[in-house]
Amino acid sequence: MAHKAGFVNIIGNPNVGKSTLMNAFVGEKLSIITSKAQTTRHRILGIVNGDDFQMILSDTPGIIKPAYELQESMMDFVKSAFEDADVLIYMVEIGEKELKDEAFFNKIRNAKIPVLLLLNKIDQSNQEQLEEQVQFWAEKVSNAEIYPISALENFNIKEVFDRLVELLPDSPPFYPKDQLTDKPERFFVNESIREKILLHYKKEIPYAVEVETEEFIEDDTIIRMRSVIMVERDSQKGIIIGHKGAALKRVGVESRKELEKFFNKKVHLELYVKINKNWRSNQRQLKRFGYNNK
């Protein structure tokens, strides 16, 4: 039987629904989804297997103008998504008019590979606005196939998925057929904890945080984890812990419940908070956390 396989890379501005789309395709929660911008920091692969195809989806950080070293590294992940894509998904939302980086935008318009422009969040628009937006993007990105979708409501997702399978090149699979992602288990522990911090803390706190799982021990009935939440300053440490440890406890309880569902096993999670000064601008620290691979 002929077999197709290839890389489908998703790019777009922050908060347009890239992670929601990938999770809808994969059927698992691999990427953090919150209403805050810059939620995705890494390039995360989600692998969807069929009898005669393997689609390797890649969720990337939202495109921004970098302000510090961490954001520079995040944009390097976006650049790499152009280099190995077999199909490119450019995701926009209703009312959006431009990409935050003109060089990336020109790469999309001049791409030599198939481009699907997904106009997301159409559940928040009317027919007239939708038609106007489709016309706008058809003129702006003339090389793209345009699909109005709602990733959250699952509207048109199957149609887009089927089209992506059609566009995959003939190839044997790149990964074992039972593999779901390229990331290790500890990565998803870190991301689950970081998501709860994004949901429950305001202002700069979520962006000053990195999570590292130092211990992951699994036996037949339970997984024991010890994770460290790193912040940049003393004041941030106090905010993360909260009055009598209540804020940190909430993060721990919610993360544990989610991780028990993800791993389908009982989880014991210990959380600690440490200060790691200015880690977002420190090349050595960024490399340690898997951001800076230069």
Side-chain angles (χ1 to χ4, degrees):
M1 189 194 295
H3 191 279
K4 292 167 162 268
F7 290 81
V8 177
N9 298 345
I10 310 167
I11 62 166
N13 284 331
N15 257 18
V16 294
K18 298 182 295 298
S19 298
T20 306
L21 178 73
M22 188 172 91
N23 291 342
F25 282 152
V26 176
E28 291 278 348
K29 189 176 172 191
L30 296 183
S31 291
I32 286 182
I33 304 166
T34 79
S35 60
K36 289 189 168 76
Q38 297 173 50
T39 300
T40 302
R41 284 179 177 173
H42 293 263
R43 185 178 170 191
I44 302 165
L45 297 191
I47 304 163
V48 185
N49 292 291
D51 290 339
D52 58 351
F53 74 88
Q54 182 177 80
M55 187 187 301
I56 302 135
L57 293 144
S58 177
D59 184 17
T60 59
I63 293 171
I64 52 172
K65 285 193 163 63
Y68 44 82
E69 287 285 343
L70 170 61
Q71 292 181 343
E72 294 272 4
S73 181
M74 286 159 60
M75 291 309 95
D76 286 341
F77 288 129
V78 179
K79 285 173 194 163
S80 73
F82 281 97
E83 289 160 13
D84 61 17
D86 295 299
V87 183
L88 200 60
I89 291 178
Y90 173 35
M91 201 160 177
V92 300
E93 64 180 10
I94 287 286
E96 195 177 309
K97 295 291 186 187
E98 62 185 0
L99 198 60
K100 288 194 165 69
D101 186 302
E102 191 65 27
F104 281 135
F105 195 53
N106 287 330
K107 279 188 176 185
I108 294 165
R109 289 193 293 200
N110 297 311
K112 300 288 187 276
I113 55 171
V115 176
L116 268 58
L117 190 148
L118 305 188
L119 182 55
N120 192 26
K121 305 185 185 179
I122 64 165
D123 48 304
Q124 298 174 14
S125 73
N126 56 45
Q127 189 63 31
E128 186 182 344
Q129 186 185 20
L130 178 57
E131 288 172 7
E132 180 267 319
Q133 288 276 286
V134 169
Q135 180 65 32
F136 172 83
W137 286 111
E139 291 170 9
K140 195 118 173 162
V141 190
S142 58
N143 58 317
E145 296 177 29
I146 299 177
Y147 288 83
I149 68 161
S150 170
L152 196 60
E153 303 292 335
N154 233 20
F155 176 76
N156 240 3
I157 297 302
K158 185 181 185 305
E159 290 75 6
V160 171
F161 185 85
D162 291 345
R163 180 59 180 143
L164 290 169
V165 173
E166 286 175 9
L167 291 169
L168 293 176
D170 291 335
S171 167
F174 291 89
Y175 293 91
K177 281 284 199 161
D178 59 354
Q179 192 168 331
L180 184 67
T181 181
D182 65 325
K183 296 292 184 193
E185 291 165 323
R186 290 180 191 223
F187 176 83
F188 294 103
V189 178
N190 299 345
E191 288 292 271
S192 176
I193 296 164
R194 198 166 66 81
E195 180 186 52
K196 303 305 171 281
I197 292 166
L198 277 154
L199 290 170
H200 293 308
Y201 298 86
K202 294 175 183 171
K203 297 181 181 172
E204 179 65 7
I205 294 293
Y207 303 103
V209 161
E210 184 57 46
V211 182
E212 188 172 43
T213 296
E214 296 184 334
E215 191 173 277
F216 187 102
I217 301 167
E218 185 170 7
D219 62 30
D220 292 341
T221 58
I222 193 168
I223 310 172
R224 300 181 190 278
M225 309 169 184
R226 186 176 70 241
S227 302
V228 176
I229 298 168
M230 308 215 182
V231 294
E232 294 189 313
R233 297 194 300 275
D234 262 328
S235 58
Q236 293 165 348
K237 181 177 178 180
I239 293 167
I240 290 285
I241 293 170
H243 181 60
K244 294 186 177 176
L248 184 63
K249 184 178 179 182
R250 177 167 66 171
V251 169
V253 168
E254 291 184 11
S255 299
R256 178 182 54 75
K257 286 179 180 174
E258 182 172 87
L259 290 165
E260 285 182 336
K261 282 186 199 165
F262 187 80
F263 291 111
N264 203 21
K265 191 175 273 193
K266 191 171 170 57
V267 164
H268 175 78
L269 174 64
E270 290 179 26
L271 281 184
Y272 299 89
V273 186
K274 287 183 182 174
I275 297 164
N276 187 341
K277 287 190 176 170
N278 300 320
W279 69 266
R280 288 182 292 177
S281 300
N282 184 312
Q283 295 273 5
R284 191 169 59 82
Q285 294 294 337
L286 288 169
K287 194 158 191 172
R288 171 186 162 192
F289 298 137
Y291 292 110
N292 202 326
N293 297 311
K294 291 176 186 174

